[in-house]
Amino acid sequence: ERVDPQAANNPDLHLNRATLLQYLERFQAALEGLSRAMALDPTWEEPRKRHGNLMEFLTRLCGLLENKGKLRGKRRRGLAGPVPLPLLGPLGGPGGPRPSPLPTLRAGN
């Protein structure tokens, strides 16, 4: 855009930038870019579809955050506990490292 001011009127540029911003989790800027792409080319469905998908994702994300993932207390506390050895894969098998209680750890071990 700095080199070619006409590029600011290119909806592809705004769509691509919005996609990048979405991956960077800069959702407000991504929504603004998608809105700009829609305004520049109202007949192009792709920005409209992506805007709807992003809004749906953000709505679900906010809902899960408000409900703490829709988990009940006991299940939520269970997720914060130690990782079962079978889930450690090869690290949890025979001869693999074993978790140690924090009080037994020593510097350098």
Side-chain angles (χ1 to χ4, degrees):
E1 290 175 299
R2 292 180 186 137
V3 175
D4 182 9
Q6 290 296 337
N9 297 322
N10 184 343
D12 286 319
L13 173 75
H14 293 283
L15 179 75
N16 291 339
R17 181 183 298 140
T19 301
L20 173 65
L21 292 167
Q22 184 176 343
Y23 282 110
L24 294 174
E25 296 182 0
R26 294 177 48 195
F27 300 119
Q28 181 63 43
L31 288 170
E32 291 168 4
L34 291 169
S35 295
R36 180 73 175 137
M38 287 188 294
L40 289 171
D41 188 352
T43 62
W44 193 21
E45 283 299 314
E46 189 64 24
R48 190 174 324 289
K49 184 176 87 175
R50 289 190 190 190
H51 189 278
N53 289 344
L54 181 54
M55 286 300 295
E56 181 182 332
F57 168 77
L58 293 173
T59 301
R60 285 185 295 136
L61 179 63
C62 289
L64 288 171
L65 290 172
E66 287 173 6
N67 296 319
K68 295 184 174 72
K70 295 184 180 180
L71 296 177
R72 294 188 180 161
K74 185 176 179 181
R75 176 73 174 138
R76 193 171 54 243
R77 283 189 301 275
L79 290 174
V83 177
L85 291 177
L87 293 180
L88 292 175
L91 295 176
R98 293 279 184 240
S100 299
L102 287 176
T104 64
L105 296 178
R106 302 278 182 255
N109 291 343

